[in-house]
Amino acid sequence: MSRPQLRKDAHVYRFRKRVPADLVAVVGRREVVFSLRTSDPKEAKRLHSEELAKLESQWADLRRRPSNGTTDAKPAVMEYSAAPRSLSERQAAERAQWMYVHWLGLYRENPSQQRFWPTDLYHHLWRASPGSVENRDDGRTTVRAALDLRSVEKVEELQRWCRLQAETVLDLHDVDADEISTLRVAKAVASQVQRASLALAALARGEPEAPPMAPQAAASPMSQPAVKPVLLSELIEAWWRQAERTGKSPSTRESYTNTMRQLHAFLDHEDARRVTADDVRRFRDFRLASKKRNGEPLSAATVKNSDLAALKSVFGWAVVDGRLPVNPAVDVNVARVAKIKLREREFTTEEARAILQASMHLQAGRELPQTLAAKRWIPWVLAFTGARVGEIAQMRRQDLHLKQIEGHPEGVWVLRITPEAGAVKTKQAREVPLHPQLIELGFPAFVQSVREERLFLVPGTEGAITGPLQAVKNRLGEFAREHVSDRGVSPNHGWRHRFRTVATEAGISANVIDALCGWATKNVGDRYGSVSLKTKADAILRIPQFRI
């Protein structure tokens, strides 16, 4: 069965189908080959199916037409490509001319930032011998290595990169080139990058720029694939199609997508190929000077761990995937600032009591019933589970069960925190017994009274919860801030810190606390064995109640 194909070391899929023997004379070729212009396997499969259906339809139409000696249908099929399989050195050089203008344009404003291509290694590319032969005085022969191990690895990286550029441009132009021709284009690409890099090095030294290339070279139609915009919006979606399969969470997708939108708005263009390291630095400084919705400035940690992490990850993936030549964010960082600590990171007993007491005296207003329920119950659940706020805010009705456990004759209400409900940092489900005070307050009865699946949020289109979940977390943070104004404690995460402190004071062992809160094990030994549900239930009983 015909399926999308990848040539060796290529990243762009292509369509390849043998022409039926009875149609070869009419079509004028034995095989149809053309690029699908995508590196995403799912998209390639979809496009392949569409193109195969079109082709089969055309062939069926050819068979239905009377045989009168004409080949009037031939042009409709020939649109797929009649590119040569073998390229001369001149043809290979023509297909690489665009790279000089493109590479020079990437770094012309700041030529010293071109550090990907070391010009001193160019003459070592595709060399058969890695060293030189020396005749010693004693008559023996010694082979002296020309490069150290790091340089050898860099040479191999440059060769792979040049081949990838060659494969990409050949696929974009539907050129089904043979191995020798592909290597010729790769070498021609290397030559153009070397020329451009030498010109950039001269600019970095303050020397005047060399005269521009001949107009016909700069305007060559072969340069079109290089200057075709790589849109930030398309880049993030392509990144997500692969990242999703590696276990990245939808919240990461939303965060990275927001960063790309902000970068687009800041630069006033969406072409990822035009983004330079200077652009990323300016964007970083802009974000550091920005403020959150509540008027507070963005922290350096947020810019580093959210904005820069997104750019480095997506642009880095794009380089590996052959969509970008370099990662403009790779060397951009945020200076680490020592955070002044004036208090412990958990809520004090008085602060916790203030929030919990306020949650019991809420009045219905204009907000959604789910938001009101979140403010009423989630602070209490966090206080007695040590869970992350998002793990509880995304809770479903079916995540709470009454289980029979030895030593607990009346049964134990158990909350199951699971990736099936949404994002869980460790990507592992865990069970947390409810504290008796939660049962006395009526939390299980509340859960059973809810008709919808989600307790604290209203899913978006097609059941999406990422946006609504963040909204609930924001409302909870604002609610806690109304009663605990000290910025030294997080309005949501302060519960998690407090739980560990209280559990430790109650004599609960560290491994049981980790199992209850979903903390990853600290060493290999901790990964052996497990903490039983009975042990967890016994431990929860040791947590003191709140006096409200």
Side-chain angles (χ1 to χ4, degrees):
M1 180 179 292
S2 178
R3 59 174 62 87
Q5 293 187 357
L6 275 178
R7 288 186 287 187
K8 183 180 178 182
D9 297 326
H11 286 253
V12 180
Y13 284 89
R14 63 178 182 168
F15 180 102
R16 187 171 186 174
K17 180 72 174 177
R18 184 178 296 278
V19 177
D22 61 316
L23 295 178
V24 170
V26 178
V27 175
R29 55 191 306 190
R30 297 183 180 276
E31 195 175 51
V32 172
V33 181
F34 59 90
S35 173
L36 292 172
R37 291 180 170 84
T38 181
S39 60
D40 179 67
K42 289 184 179 179
E43 180 68 7
K45 186 177 293 186
R46 183 187 69 81
L47 293 173
H48 186 278
S49 298
E50 292 180 359
E51 297 296 341
L52 181 60
K54 293 178 184 177
L55 195 59
E56 295 286 2
S57 175
Q58 290 181 9
W59 287 344
D61 183 56
L62 287 175
R63 289 190 176 100
R64 288 193 297 268
R65 295 182 183 183
S67 177
N68 56 7
T70 65
T71 57
D72 57 341
K74 186 174 179 179
V77 181
M78 289 302 292
E79 69 185 39
Y80 284 107
S81 175
R85 292 185 58 85
S86 180
L87 301 177
S88 66
E89 292 181 356
R90 178 186 61 78
Q91 290 172 320
E94 289 175 351
R95 283 164 172 77
Q97 284 180 350
W98 59 269
M99 181 57 82
Y100 177 86
V101 176
H102 170 64
W103 198 256
L104 201 62
L106 278 177
Y107 300 101
R108 180 180 278 108
E109 292 299 320
N110 297 281
S112 62
Q113 292 179 5
Q114 194 294 109
R115 292 186 289 271
F116 172 77
W117 188 274
T119 56
D120 58 320
L121 294 181
Y122 170 69
H123 295 291
H124 295 280
L125 299 179
W126 294 288
R127 286 186 59 178
S129 174
S132 58
V133 178
E134 296 181 359
N135 296 319
R136 294 170 40 176
D137 294 338
D138 58 4
R140 296 183 178 182
T141 300
T142 300
V143 178
R144 186 178 300 278
L147 299 171
D148 56 26
L149 180 59
R150 179 174 296 182
S151 297
V152 170
E153 292 176 346
K154 183 63 177 179
V155 166
E156 292 175 351
E157 178 189 359
L158 296 178
Q159 291 178 172
R160 288 194 301 270
W161 183 82
C162 289
R163 183 182 180 87
L164 177 59
Q165 305 308 309
E167 292 276 5
T168 300
V169 72
L170 290 172
D171 276 328
L172 285 172
H173 284 268
D174 296 338
V175 179
D176 185 25
D178 55 26
E179 183 66 22
I180 295 177
S181 299
T182 303
L183 182 59
R184 285 173 176 169
V185 176
K187 290 182 177 180
V189 167
S191 175
Q192 296 295 340
V193 175
Q194 175 72 1
R195 285 182 56 225
S197 297
L198 289 172
L200 290 167
L203 289 175
R205 293 192 298 268
E207 299 176 13
E209 184 172 356
M213 295 182 62
Q216 62 271 22
S220 171
M222 297 309 299
S223 66
Q224 292 177 5
V227 299
K228 179 181 178 181
V230 178
L231 301 183
L232 295 174
S233 56
E234 295 177 355
L235 199 62
I236 190 68
E237 287 303 313
W239 165 83
W240 172 247
R241 284 194 291 270
Q242 294 192 26
E244 185 179 20
R245 293 194 290 272
T246 66
K248 294 290 185 183
S249 66
S251 60
T252 300
R253 176 192 186 183
E254 183 181 39
S255 174
Y256 284 17
T257 300
N258 286 337
T259 295
M260 286 298 180
R261 288 172 181 163
Q262 290 164 346
L263 180 64
H264 177 193
F266 174 76
L267 296 177
D268 201 27
H269 73 77
E270 201 187 356
D271 187 357
R273 288 183 177 274
R274 293 170 54 191
V275 179
T276 66
D278 262 0
D279 291 333
V280 177
R281 292 190 186 95
R282 291 190 300 108
F283 177 68
R284 172 202 62 192
D285 296 341
F286 165 76
R287 291 290 289 158
L288 287 171
S290 301
K291 294 183 178 181
K292 295 185 285 187
R293 190 174 61 177
N294 60 8
E296 296 181 1
L298 284 180
S299 68
T302 298
V303 176
K304 176 182 178 180
N305 299 328
S306 181
D307 295 318
L308 290 184
L311 299 181
K312 289 182 179 184
S313 179
V314 176
F315 287 149
W317 167 83
V319 171
V320 174
D321 202 53
R323 297 169 184 264
L324 295 178
V326 291
N327 181 349
V330 67
D331 293 325
V332 182
N333 292 299
V334 175
R336 186 174 181 179
V337 179
K339 191 172 182 179
I340 299 175
K341 182 179 178 181
L342 300 178
R343 56 162 295 166
E344 297 300 329
R345 301 175 68 183
E346 69 260 17
F347 290 126
T348 65
T349 301
E350 293 73 21
E351 290 170 336
R353 186 180 290 118
I355 297 173
L356 296 178
Q357 190 170 15
S359 72
M360 299 179 67
H361 297 87
L362 290 170
Q363 298 294 324
R366 295 182 179 179
E367 59 191 359
L368 294 172
Q370 290 83 353
T371 304
L372 185 69
K375 293 178 180 180
R376 169 66 182 89
W377 290 110
I378 291 181
W380 280 95
V381 177
L382 296 179
F384 284 120
T385 62
R388 301 171 182 88
V389 63
E391 294 173 338
I392 306 303
Q394 68 193 14
M395 183 179 170
R396 304 168 301 173
R397 187 180 60 251
Q398 63 265 35
D399 293 332
L400 188 66
H401 306 275
L402 182 63
K403 292 193 173 184
Q404 298 301 317
I405 300 176
E406 182 183 355
H408 298 264
E410 296 181 359
V412 175
W413 284 100
V414 177
L415 170 60
R416 179 174 172 80
I417 296 174
T418 170
E420 296 169 323
V424 176
K425 190 171 184 179
T426 60
K427 296 179 174 59
Q428 297 180 5
R430 68 182 188 276
E431 293 184 315
V432 184
L434 289 191
H435 191 276
Q437 191 170 8
L438 276 174
I439 300 171
E440 292 173 8
L441 290 171
F443 182 65
F446 158 73
V447 174
Q448 292 175 321
S449 70
V450 176
R451 296 183 179 180
E452 294 78 11
E453 181 184 41
R454 300 285 176 174
L455 304 179
F456 304 117
L457 58 83
V458 179
T461 56
E462 299 181 358
I465 68 166
T466 304
L469 177 62
Q470 186 60 51
V472 172
K473 291 161 65 175
N474 292 342
R475 300 297 84 75
L476 286 169
E478 294 166 357
F479 172 69
R481 273 285 175 254
E482 294 175 5
H483 307 283
V484 179
S485 59
D486 191 338
R487 302 291 175 176
V489 60
S490 168
N492 287 328
H493 214 59
W495 291 113
R496 192 162 165 83
H497 288 284
R498 175 180 169 79
F499 182 86
R500 183 160 201 119
T501 298
V502 172
T504 301
E505 291 175 349
I508 302 174
S509 62
N511 68 314
V512 177
I513 298 175
D514 290 344
L516 287 168
C517 297
W519 274 299
T521 56
K522 299 175 179 61
N523 55 62
V524 176
D526 290 341
R527 299 174 192 168
Y528 288 81
S530 60
V531 178
S532 69
L533 192 56
K534 180 182 185 306
T535 300
K536 294 179 182 178
D538 292 342
I540 286 294
L541 290 177
R542 303 172 72 172
I543 302 294
Q545 291 194 1
F546 279 95
R547 295 180 180 178
I548 302 298

